[in-house]
Amino acid sequence: AGGGMEAENPEQFVPAGLRCYGNPPRQTEDPLSPPCVSVFTGDNFGETYQGVTGEEIVILIYADGSSPTSATGTNSYTNTSRGDEMNPVGPAYFDINDEPKADDHIVIRGARVWQTYFNSRYQLYGRRAHFYVFFSGSDGTLEGRRADAEEVTSGRTIPRPFAYIDIATFRGNNQAFWDGMARRGVMFFGSSGLLAMPNSFYTKYSPNVWGFYPDIEHKADQFVRYVCTNMVPYPVTLSGNGNGGERVWGLLRTTDARFPNLRMYTDFVRQGLESCGVDFGNREYTYPIAGITIAAGRVPDYAYEGAARMRIDGTTTVVWTGGQETYYSRAMADAGVLPEWIISGDSVIDGFFPSQFQDARSFRYAWLVSNLLKANRREDTEAFKAYRDADPNGPAQDVDFPEMYRDLAQLFQGIQISGPDLKPSNVSRGFHAIPENRSAKPEVPAMFFDPGDYTAVKDTHLAWWDPSSRPPTSNQPGCWRMMWGGNRFLAGEAPEGNHFEMREPAAAPQDQPCNGFANSVLLAIGPGA
């Protein structure tokens, strides 16, 4: 599996297992895959760009490794079908073409499966993708991320990559790595909402940097338009402290220096909401560390102080702009402060698993605007079906961790639509030729690129937190119930009205199903957490 075969014409390359699907024909069963190119005949132009030869495309997967010096305790273990596996101590390279070992980490096992899948199912015009995994040992410091970028592009250990994906999403300062890679001409494909960047970052390195989920400006526009249209005109509706009065708005944000993008996004949101009449005044509540669900040993005085201020301020409605943390919901419940929450999803909060760690007494009043797609059973996801296509016997628990499929799918879509002359300018030409579209079902977003835009998803869905219902992929209670069956809306096009009145907390109707998107949680167990 994963190889190629020569057709009767020696210049004709046909990937093994390549078929066309749907009408119009797509490359794979995934509805987001590119138009089908079943056969390639001709010249692929050889070395068209760094990391590209006539036979090979070098792809890097960047991950956080273990380090006993980690100040945030983020280096511990990954839960897999084999139990808890310690991440390899970085810095460390792994060539996915090497012989498998019994103790290979799940990231390496997953990369091996994805290398097989994308080589066998996408048209690469006579080339094969060659994956390498690099585990960082930097603890997420700025200097460490910059050093990682210099190392993986130096050519000392592996060829300079054509492109990479980044699954090191929790320690922060990822932008320092992205900057270093972009300056060295390596293409980037990323999908994490937690690490959303402004359009200026994409245009600075155009056309080398691409995202699946929206840039900060598109995301802020989606969120602001929703709040201004569907909340601002209405009274308090979803509070545990009484409804019917005028809203008193508060802003919950992180001060974590490792995520400057989150702070920038918050500034965009605040400015946009204030322009439609939202008055935050000095009702701004902060927390110091983002992205962590549980931090052993941390004393969350900041959360209890913030909850006390909310009570004094009379805050009825909290706007949370993202950056996972769970102490505020507990502190607010302990203080009897039960305001409405309106949350901008960041791809972590949107998952039911991280949100199951929130205090249900206060989080039952939470409402979510999310870019993420509806997920049903694990077996129904495109990632699962693709994984099993390449490895029919792969353990189910390994299939969606790490969540590399979507980033790699966008990368390989870019490779295929570039054509045989593989270079960033041709990737851009292909992506920007995608026509504007609308979502036809909750599992498929509206995905296209505006002029000067380098991120794909253009719509959102709406959900509320139900602490008692169970999602389709978990036995634990607590899920995000999706309004209108998970239907997705372009910015400013959500149905009219006060949506908080439309939720059904006592029932589980078909039009408000639980989203099966789980995600993972970061547990900080080290000193300084």
Side-chain angles (χ1 to χ4, degrees), residues 62 64 136-145 171-174 258:
Y62 179 62
D64 276 330
S136 169
S138 73
D139 289 345
T141 62
L142 281 168
E143 296 75 13
R145 297 293 192 203
R171 289 182 181 172
N173 290 317
N174 296 63
R258 301 172 306 152

Side-chain angles (χ1 to χ4, degrees), residues 30 49 105 112 121 265 297 325 356 383 393 487 505 510 529:
D30 188 336
Y49 194 72
H105 187 263
R112 185 172 295 115
R121 301 298 300 278
Y265 176 67
E325 101 98 51
Q356 286 174 347
N393 299 314
N487 285 353
Q510 288 297 109

